[in-house]
């Protein structure tokens, strides 16, 4: 008869006493070592195989025995080792989120959404960063690939060919990047860009600069292409200023080139660049927005806290993280309908107008020192 059935009668006292420190066959468990199923079996008075069934596949043994085993596991602070579980099943129930810069507030929303979706499905999310280096990103993926079931690449700096190579080994979902044959969670770039340029032109701006992001940023190139289309439609001038680090310091360093461009408005690749540019401008006596209107992308935490508050295009960052994980888990389940988002519609973008943009002043047609 199954041991789980013969020991159901009665409610054994689960106070650890001396047995909590004992391993299989009454041997002393070394202090500081992780408890095992043998320790749980000793404490609960059942066979190790019964413990394994209770913890790995709930419902396969009687409810009283399962409850008794779980109480013992909690008492011993037992935790599953997902890497050990992966050995027989090939699955670790762990997925990776790779980001370019973990200190960038744009990542916060993506992480929150991804973690929420992963947790709801019983998966562990691990996060690593590339520090804006495609080489470092590739190396990080090689290290983590054997330990995870799939990967979400957010703000990736990898080439399309490299992304396809990785996708041949494990399922991959992209955020803010399009690669043929791979699921990509993308924003509605046209809507946000058009709203922003209509806003600036409506304020009288006829010469606009775009502070581009990293050269390897797909989304930065896409935004500039949409800006070209919009400025041609609106009949205004557009200049691209490239080579900007996507950080506050990158924005500060761009001021000299902005002045040389002789524009009245600047659109930055992200809010961090915009904030850095505003700080540098004001330190040089250039008033924002009276002398120079500044706008950004993403609407990160802090955009409305600076002075003046930043006009920006809001992105659905939490939703992007959630949707990326749901699609990745659907890929793992080989079920196209599991995510509920088979077509992955573009995520809406919304212009948030604040105090950093204003009409062109009659005495300040172009920014200058």
């Amino acid at each position: 008869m199954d041991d789980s059935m013969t020991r159901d009668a009665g409610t054994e006292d689960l106070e650890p006493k001396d047995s909590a420190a004992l391993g299989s066959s009454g041997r002393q468990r070394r202090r500081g070592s992780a408890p095992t199923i043998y320790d749980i079996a000793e404490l609960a008075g059942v066979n190790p195989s019964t413990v394994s069934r209770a913890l790995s596949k709930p419902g396969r043994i009687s409810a009283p025995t399962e409850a008794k085993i779980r109480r013992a596991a909690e008492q011993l602070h037992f935790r599953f080792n997902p890497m050990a579980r992966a050995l027989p099943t090939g699955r670790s129930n762990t997925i990776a989120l790779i980001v370019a810069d973990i200190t960038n507030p744009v990542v916060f929303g993506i992480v929150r959404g991804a973690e929420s979706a992963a947790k709801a499905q019983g998966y562990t999310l691990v996060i690593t960063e590339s520090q804006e280096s495609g080489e470092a990103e590739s190396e990080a993926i090689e290290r983590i690939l054997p330990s995870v079931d799939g990967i979400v690449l957010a703000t990736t700096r990898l080439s399309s060919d490299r992304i396809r190579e990785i996708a041949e080994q494990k399922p991959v979902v992209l955020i803010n990047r399009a690669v043929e044959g791979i699921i990509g969670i993308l924003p509605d770039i046209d809507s946000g860009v058009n709203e922003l340029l209509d806003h600036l032109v409506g304020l009288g701006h006829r010469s606009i600069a775009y502070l581009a992001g990293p050269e390897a940023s797909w989304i930065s190139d896409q935004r500039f292409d949409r800006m070209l289309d919009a400025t041609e439609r609106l009949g205004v001038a557009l200049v691209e200023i490239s080579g900007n680090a996507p950080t506050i310091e990158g924005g500060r360093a761009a001021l000299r080139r902005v002045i040389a461009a002789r524009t009245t408005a600047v659109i930055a690749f992200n809010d961090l660049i915009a904030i850095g540019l505003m700080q540098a401008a004001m330190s040089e006596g250039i008033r924002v927005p009276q002398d120079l209107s500044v706008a950004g992308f993403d609407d990160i935490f802090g955009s409305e806290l600076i002075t003046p508050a930043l006009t920006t295009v809001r992105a659905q960052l939490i939703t992007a993280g959630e949707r990326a994980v749901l699609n990745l888990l659907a890929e793992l389940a080989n079920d196209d309908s599991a995510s509920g988002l088979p077509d992955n519609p573009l995520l809406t973008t919304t212009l948030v107008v604040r105090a950093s943009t204003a009409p062109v002043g009659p005495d300040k047609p172009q920014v200058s020192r």
Side-chain angles (χ1 to χ4, degrees):
M1 181 178 294
D2 190 317
D3 180 77
S4 64
M5 301 303 295
T6 61
R7 298 179 184 270
D8 280 351
T11 56
E12 289 89 335
D13 183 4
L14 290 181
E15 287 299 319
K17 300 178 184 178
D18 291 337
S19 64
L22 296 176
S24 179
S25 304
R27 292 191 297 270
Q28 184 79 17
R29 181 162 61 88
R30 181 168 55 85
R31 182 178 296 275
S33 63
T36 68
I37 63 171
Y38 299 99
D39 301 315
I40 297 172
E42 183 81 22
L43 182 56
V46 298
N47 286 334
S49 60
T50 305
V51 174
S52 179
R53 287 196 299 274
L55 298 181
S56 62
K57 297 181 178 180
R60 292 192 63 189
I61 64 174
S62 68
T65 298
E66 183 174 319
K68 182 169 57 176
I69 289 170
R70 291 193 176 278
R71 287 199 303 272
E74 291 173 4
Q75 201 166 313
L76 293 172
H77 305 293
F78 176 83
R79 295 291 183 271
F80 275 113
N81 180 345
M83 298 303 106
R85 180 189 291 176
L87 292 177
T89 65
R91 289 284 179 88
S92 65
N93 276 30
T94 302
I95 56 178
L97 174 66
I98 316 295
V99 299
D101 180 4
I102 203 166
T103 67
N104 188 333
V106 76
V107 171
F108 300 166
I110 293 174
V111 170
R112 176 67 59 85
E115 168 63 22
S116 175
K119 179 181 178 182
Q121 299 298 321
Y123 275 73
T124 298
L125 182 75
V126 296
I127 304 167
T128 189
E129 68 164 345
S130 66
Q131 298 184 12
E132 293 292 346
S133 165
E135 182 179 354
E137 182 177 357
S138 186
E139 291 174 356
I141 291 170
E142 286 300 320
R143 289 194 305 270
I144 205 169
L145 202 60
S147 304
V148 298
D149 297 334
I151 294 177
V152 174
L153 296 179
T155 62
T156 181
R157 303 297 182 240
L158 297 177
S159 68
S160 296
D161 287 343
R162 180 65 181 122
I163 291 172
R164 291 190 187 95
E165 289 177 3
I166 296 166
E168 289 177 356
Q169 301 175 67
K170 293 285 177 74
V172 170
V173 172
L174 305 170
I175 296 178
N176 284 359
R177 178 68 178 271
V179 174
E180 186 176 356
I182 298 176
I183 296 172
I185 310 304
L186 302 173
D188 182 356
I189 301 172
D190 286 332
S191 177
V193 166
N194 286 332
E195 276 193 75
L196 179 52
L197 283 169
D198 285 342
H199 167 67
L200 291 174
V201 172
L203 293 174
H205 295 280
R206 294 295 181 268
S207 179
I208 300 168
Y210 174 55
L211 288 181
E215 291 184 4
S217 171
W218 178 89
I219 198 75
S220 181
D221 289 342
Q222 294 297 309
R223 285 173 181 161
F224 183 64
D225 287 345
R226 303 311 200 281
M227 288 179 197
L228 282 173
D229 294 338
T231 50
E232 287 176 1
R233 169 177 58 84
L234 295 167
V236 298
L238 175 69
V239 58
E240 181 182 26
I241 300 175
S242 59
N244 305 291
T247 61
I248 288 178
E249 187 53 43
R252 290 179 183 143
L255 178 62
R256 185 180 179 187
R257 288 172 291 155
V258 168
I259 293 171
R262 307 289 289 175
T263 61
T264 60
V266 175
I267 299 172
F269 163 71
N270 66 10
D271 290 347
L272 291 180
I273 294 177
I275 292 169
L277 177 68
M278 289 167 60
Q279 291 176 344
M282 288 184 281
S283 70
E284 292 291 328
I286 299 170
R287 301 170 299 168
V288 177
Q290 294 92 335
D291 302 329
L292 179 68
S293 286
V294 179
F297 280 92
D298 299 327
D299 193 25
I300 62 172
F301 175 78
S303 293
E304 61 182 329
L305 303 180
I306 63 170
T307 303
L310 181 64
T311 293
T312 184
V313 176
R314 178 178 294 159
Q316 293 184 282
L317 302 175
I318 293 177
T319 302
E322 291 175 343
R323 188 177 291 181
V325 167
L326 290 175
N327 276 272
L328 185 63
L329 298 184
E331 284 281 290
L332 289 169
N334 195 26
D335 179 1
D336 293 336
S337 65
S339 70
L341 300 166
D343 297 325
N344 280 313
L346 298 177
L347 296 175
T348 59
T349 54
T350 307
L351 176 64
V352 181
V353 177
R354 298 193 180 109
S356 67
T357 51
V360 178
D363 60 335
K364 290 287 184 181
Q366 294 177 327
V367 63
S368 61
R369 287 185 187 274

